Amino acid sequence: MATIKDVARVAKVSVGTVSRVLNGSSKISPESYKAVHDAARQLGYRRNAVAQALVSKTSKMFGVLVSDVGVPFFGEMVKGIEEVARQKGLHLLICNGYHDATEEKNMIEYLLSHRCQSLVVHSKGLSDEELIQYSREIPGMIVINRYIDAIKERCVFLNNHQGMHIAVSRLLDSHNGVAYIGSSEDIQDATDRYLGYQKALEDRSIEFNEQWVVHCEPVAEAGYKAIKQLAEQGELPSSIVTYNDALASGVLDYLHGEGIKIPEQVSVVGFDDIELARYLYPKLTTVRYPIREMAEFAANLSIQLLEDATPSVSDEELEFVPKLIERNSAVI
């Protein structure tokens, strides 16, 4: 890893000049400023902002990386972290990574440059190796909604496979088949939920029907188009499970428009249990993803790590358990 001396050597300036540039001094020539920043980018140099904050005792920032804070799921996550941060007198700095590796890395670097001691990171773009390296550099970093064995004590996650398996198994208690509308995103959540769907069918010795599966962008409009596609292919099965509640809302909208009774003719089950789920018509049966509780736990753990490098946390506390929330959109 590059050091401040390496930056000074490449920029052909003194270490003191590099330090003044990186600390925002106004008494620096434009030429030196450019030379230092060009050298830092070339070498991939980053100041250890966490260490600086710990020494100065001035940091009151708590960093959060989400995919898109405009998505209700991540809004709930941020609320959970904000509650803990407020109690500790910390200010939240929130960045969007959009499940893109480059953007996620840039945003983590940005959070560190603003002296965030604690970080809760929701990353689907960065590799395991990159997140492991960051965890070594950042004492207060927690990874949420992802499991990496090498840093399992830093991971707060949900068993997505189990959650979908529960939903499909319960539907199969009352239905002969279940259609699946999944996410086309290349992330572990999407894979785990789809595998949970397939395993539930396998456990009941029900043959997998590829025509009853559609993968699409996990938004309401795509859910509407997906169920329309299934309907146009032939007779709909009597139950449908979706990757998330947004897709389920699109499914409900289409079924209402076609005059199909829910749940008398078709049962619909979502996943996540966002706030909107209880206000849809009919109220949505869904798998509860306790993201707010997970976020609160992750935030507290992040703060504990700064006070104690090895807090006492069990594997059971880090893995949250999904639960089927029964409402009015499904016969189960």
Side-chain angles (χ1 to χ4, degrees):
M1 184 177 295
T3 67
I4 192 170
K5 291 182 179 179
D6 295 325
V7 175
R9 174 177 52 79
V10 172
K12 298 180 180 179
V13 298
S14 69
V15 170
T17 297
V18 174
S19 179
R20 287 192 294 275
V21 170
L22 297 179
N23 283 296
S25 173
S26 60
K27 299 179 180 180
I28 295 293
S29 70
E31 293 78 13
S32 294
Y33 181 91
K34 183 178 186 305
V36 168
H37 280 283
D38 286 349
R41 279 193 295 271
Q42 177 185 332
L43 295 169
Y45 173 78
R46 169 171 49 80
R47 291 179 297 167
N48 191 335
V50 174
Q52 289 181 334
L54 290 171
V55 171
S56 66
K57 303 295 184 183
T58 59
S59 176
K60 287 289 185 180
M61 303 304 295
F62 194 120
V64 182
L65 175 67
V66 299
S67 173
D68 182 353
V69 75
V71 175
F73 176 87
F74 294 110
E76 283 297 300
M77 174 182 153
V78 169
K79 285 181 182 178
I81 296 170
E82 194 273 337
E83 179 67 25
V84 173
R86 189 173 66 250
Q87 292 172 4
K88 301 292 186 179
L90 302 173
H91 305 290
L92 234 57
L93 185 57
I94 306 162
C95 292
N96 294 322
Y98 302 109
H99 291 166
D100 177 80
T102 300
E103 195 66 23
E104 287 180 353
K105 183 174 183 178
N106 288 341
M107 291 303 100
I108 291 175
E109 299 288 345
Y110 177 83
L111 292 170
L112 292 177
S113 73
H114 284 72
R115 297 191 172 188
C116 293
Q117 296 184 49
S118 291
L119 270 78
V120 173
V121 172
H122 186 287
S123 167
K124 298 297 183 180
L126 291 173
S127 67
D128 287 356
E129 291 72 23
E130 288 170 307
L131 290 172
I132 290 168
Q133 182 59 41
Y134 272 124
S135 74
R136 290 171 180 159
E137 299 175 19
I138 309 166
M141 181 177 123
I142 297 296
V143 177
I144 193 168
N145 192 22
R146 182 164 171 177
Y147 178 82
I148 302 172
D149 188 65
I151 53 169
K152 61 183 180 180
E153 71 283 354
R154 302 278 200 100
C155 298
V156 177
F157 62 100
L158 183 83
N159 191 325
N160 282 283
H161 183 284
Q162 180 186 18
M164 187 58 73
H165 189 281
I166 290 170
V168 177
S169 296
R170 288 294 303 277
L171 282 169
L172 290 173
D173 288 340
S174 304
H175 303 269
N176 292 326
V178 182
Y180 182 78
I181 299 178
S183 171
S184 58
E185 292 182 312
D186 184 20
I187 60 175
Q188 196 62 45
D189 293 17
T191 300
D192 288 346
R193 293 182 193 183
Y194 186 39
L195 290 174
Y197 164 75
Q198 292 177 310
K199 185 65 167 60
L201 296 178
E202 180 185 327
D203 288 348
R204 298 294 183 92
S205 299
I206 294 175
E207 185 177 354
F208 173 76
N209 185 348
E210 190 174 351
Q211 290 189 327
W212 283 1
V213 175
V214 178
H215 289 93
C216 57
E217 186 181 359
V219 297
E221 181 182 1
Y224 183 98
K225 292 178 180 177
I227 186 62
K228 185 174 185 291
Q229 175 184 328
L230 288 173
E232 290 174 348
Q233 289 177 180
E235 185 177 353
L236 284 172
S238 62
S239 66
I240 299 164
V241 66
T242 64
Y243 168 79
N244 65 7
D245 294 340
L247 285 168
S249 69
V251 171
L252 293 178
D253 186 35
Y254 174 83
L255 295 176
H256 284 311
E258 295 297 308
I260 298 171
K261 295 181 180 179
I262 311 163
E264 291 85 354
Q265 292 176 271
V266 176
S267 290
V268 180
V269 175
F271 201 114
D272 285 344
D273 193 28
I274 61 174
E275 186 175 7
L276 175 67
R278 68 205 70 169
Y279 298 108
L280 293 170
Y281 179 77
K283 297 179 187 296
L284 184 64
T285 294
T286 184
V287 177
R288 184 165 186 264
Y289 195 124
I291 187 58
R292 188 159 183 171
E293 291 89 335
M294 290 169 63
E296 290 176 2
F297 182 85
N300 276 311
L301 183 56
S302 172
I303 292 168
Q304 289 174 34
L305 281 169
L306 293 175
E307 300 169 350
D308 178 2
T310 56
S312 178
V313 181
S314 67
D315 293 345
E316 289 76 17
E317 290 177 286
L318 293 166
E319 180 178 354
F320 281 67
V321 179
K323 179 182 178 182
L324 185 66
I325 303 299
E326 298 182 38
R327 296 197 180 98
N328 308 120
S329 67
V331 175
I332 52 178

